[in-house]
Amino acid sequence: GDVSGNFVIGGDLTVNGTTTTLDTKLTEVDRIEVGANSSTLAGIAVTQSGTADLVRLYDGASQVVTVDDEGRVGLGSATPTARLDVSPTIQIKNTASNGSANLDINAANGGQARINLYAGVSGGANRASRIDFHNQGNTPQWMLINDFIQSGGNEFSIRHGSDYAISCVPDGTVSLYDDSTDSLRTDAAGILVPEKVIHLGDTDTFMKFDTNT
């Protein structure tokens, strides 16, 4: 039959059959536990016939997990725009001894597998995209950096700590460094050598360039 008003049960409730609930809001509930035991049916199945999100999980007032109606998952992103949209950081980690942590990007034949780095997509400020390589700790040993300066400069470099190893700019200039000192540069004028070219394995044999001649 129908129950009108409050219905209080002091013990367990067992339902044999199908239950239908509409607009049910659980308040002051310690937890909801689903103890499923099926080889064919999902433990939790959500059907969304409209265009609203399938799932939203909150930490207090903050929306931390979202599954929209197209199956896009947002972790820290309330409006995911990709199959997996993570904000601000994603970590792939394996703490086991000699364990590996991999990021695999596979593209079909004729496709592209690529990583896109965006920094300051709206422009208007100095910004950089970079990949850091760590051997241990939080300080990177090697870095791949693309610096964009608001005034118009654009440089790609490989650096070891704060020292430059290689740098290049859009006009084609490429520079090689020794302890951040420019040791070889190529540009539209040709190959530029600061002082001399030394024969490998024989430092006594070299070509030296005198600035006075």
Side-chain angles (χ1 to χ4, degrees):
D2 296 331
V3 177
S4 179
N6 296 330
F7 185 46
V8 179
I9 299 176
D12 297 335
L13 174 64
T14 300
V15 178
N16 295 318
T18 302
T19 62
T20 301
T21 58
L22 299 176
D23 296 330
T24 300
K25 184 177 181 180
L26 302 177
T27 60
E28 298 182 7
V29 176
D30 179 65
R31 67 176 180 175
I32 299 174
E33 182 176 343
V34 178
N37 185 11
S38 174
S39 299
T40 57
L41 299 177
I44 298 177
V46 178
T47 299
Q48 170 60 279
S49 299
T51 58
D53 293 337
L54 289 168
V55 177
R56 290 182 181 178
L57 302 181
Y58 292 84
D59 179 15
S62 300
Q63 186 173 335
V64 294
V65 178
T66 304
V67 181
D68 72 9
D69 68 312
E70 295 185 10
R72 292 177 293 218
V73 178
L75 304 179
S77 174
T79 54
T81 58
R83 285 300 179 188
L84 179 61
D85 191 341
V86 180
S87 176
T89 304
I90 185 171
Q91 184 181 74
I92 302 173
K93 188 175 183 179
N94 185 347
T95 58
S97 178
N98 299 320
S100 299
N102 302 317
L103 173 62
D104 296 332
I105 302 176
N106 298 312
N109 291 338
Q112 294 183 351
R114 63 185 185 183
I115 298 175
N116 297 319
L117 303 180
Y118 298 89
V121 292
S122 59
N126 298 344
R127 52 198 183 272
S129 299
R130 58 189 284 174
I131 299 176
D132 293 350
F133 298 88
H134 300 254
N135 290 329
Q136 60 183 0
N138 295 321
T139 302
Q141 279 70 49
W142 287 95
M143 297 167 286
L144 301 179
I145 303 177
N146 177 210
D147 285 312
F148 180 85
I149 303 173
Q150 187 176 357
S151 60
N154 189 352
E155 175 192 72
F156 178 80
S157 62
I158 300 176
R159 305 181 199 178
H160 183 261
S162 60
D163 294 334
Y164 277 77
I166 301 174
S167 70
C168 56
V169 294
D171 68 1
T173 299
V174 178
S175 299
L176 304 182
Y177 297 86
D178 178 21
D179 291 332
S180 286
T181 300
D182 197 352
S183 60
L184 179 67
R185 185 169 73 249
T186 63
D187 60 18
I191 300 176
L192 291 82
V193 180
E195 183 179 357
K196 59 186 177 181
V197 177
I198 301 175
H199 181 265
L200 181 63
D202 181 8
T203 57
D204 293 328
T205 303
F206 57 84
M207 291 188 298
K208 186 174 182 179
F209 303 92
D210 191 341
T211 57
N212 297 321
T213 58

